[in-house]
Amino acid sequence: MAPIQQLLLGVGASADKNYIDDCFSTYLYTANGSTRSIVNGIDLAGEGGLVWIKARSGGNNTHNLYDTERGATKMLTSDLDDSETTISDTLTAFNSNGFTLGADAAGWGVNNGTLTESSWTFRNSPLFQVVKWTGNGSTRTISHSLGSVPGFMMIKRYSSPDEDWAVAYLDFKAQEPNVMAALSQDKTMLAAVNSPDPYMYVAKFVNAVPQD
């Protein structure tokens, strides 16, 4: 079976403190057509993660994504269904304090000309993780280290043939009664969420409907 790539973005608890500045960065720069390092303070070499780059000027440049699971120079484009493309002079290395860019001679909108650029860097952490696997055509569980149920997932096959991206997310609205009960530890709310129909349980409790 062809390999596919999964990107997981979720919220979870951790015994260690995780500060957003250590895990995520928005960094703006101006392209210069030369090899350079982008220093944003994110440890991608040691922890792994993902870099998302988009030119803010210059017309229809794509959204270019690179991650440490597939390796530097290997690009996915979130606005296209293209499979992985290897471009040797785009993002060339993941560093302990950011990433390195090449000259981008072909003009992928990463570092060519004098384009104004945006980059978003996500470090693997209890808040985010990049995972990849090889498909086998069977029902299976894909492991991760988020420490909680992922709140959002982007899924992309990165080998040929081209396939669209898929997105999955957790509907937190449906979980609101459970969250409120767990946080408050209110006995009535806990009984309601554990009943077959939480809303009917509350309605009966406040005598808004007949008991039976």
Side-chain angles (χ1 to χ4, degrees):
M1 299 295 291
I4 56 178
Q5 164 111 350
Q6 180 172 1
L7 311 180
L8 298 179
L9 178 58
V11 178
S14 173
D16 300 320
K17 291 183 178 179
N18 286 269
Y19 297 100
I20 194 66
D21 290 348
D22 296 326
C23 303
F24 173 75
S25 167
T26 298
Y27 190 94
L28 307 180
Y29 63 94
T30 300
N32 64 9
S34 301
T35 300
R36 66 193 298 187
S37 292
I38 301 297
V39 178
N40 59 18
I42 304 299
D43 181 8
L44 294 169
E47 302 291 342
L50 174 140
V51 178
W52 187 323
I53 299 174
K54 176 67 173 72
R56 297 185 293 144
S57 61
N60 297 321
N61 291 297
T62 58
H63 292 258
N64 302 319
L65 282 68
Y66 305 84
D67 64 79
T68 53
E69 285 293 307
R70 294 176 302 114
T73 76
K74 300 180 185 300
M75 182 178 72
L76 290 171
T77 50
S78 63
D79 50 326
L80 301 172
D81 65 1
D82 294 0
S83 55
E84 174 183 281
T85 303
T86 301
I87 310 295
S88 61
D89 65 345
T90 52
L91 189 150
T92 59
F94 297 101
N95 305 326
S96 62
N97 59 357
F99 53 92
T100 300
L101 299 175
D104 190 13
W108 284 94
V110 171
N111 193 33
N112 61 298
T114 57
L115 296 174
T116 55
E117 308 273 2
S118 295
S119 68
W120 301 273
T121 302
F122 302 82
R123 196 202 79 188
N124 285 342
S125 69
L127 303 178
F128 176 89
Q129 186 182 7
V130 180
V131 178
K132 73 174 182 179
W133 71 90
T134 300
N136 63 6
S138 301
T139 301
R140 63 195 293 195
T141 298
I142 304 299
S143 299
H144 61 79
S145 302
L146 291 174
S148 67
V149 176
F152 178 80
M153 296 184 289
M154 296 171 62
I155 305 168
K156 179 68 174 81
R157 175 177 179 160
Y158 63 82
S159 60
S160 296
D162 300 342
E163 285 190 5
D164 287 331
W165 291 73
V167 173
Y169 65 93
L170 182 64
D171 184 359
F172 286 102
K173 184 176 181 180
Q175 302 299 320
E176 285 178 357
N178 303 67
V179 173
M180 292 170 62
L183 291 176
S184 69
Q185 288 297 298
D186 181 86
K187 293 182 179 180
T188 301
M189 292 187 67
L190 288 169
V193 297
N194 289 317
S195 69
D197 188 337
Y199 297 100
M200 182 59 69
Y201 184 98
V202 173
K204 289 180 178 180
F205 182 81
V206 299
N207 295 314
V209 297
Q211 293 301 305
D212 287 305

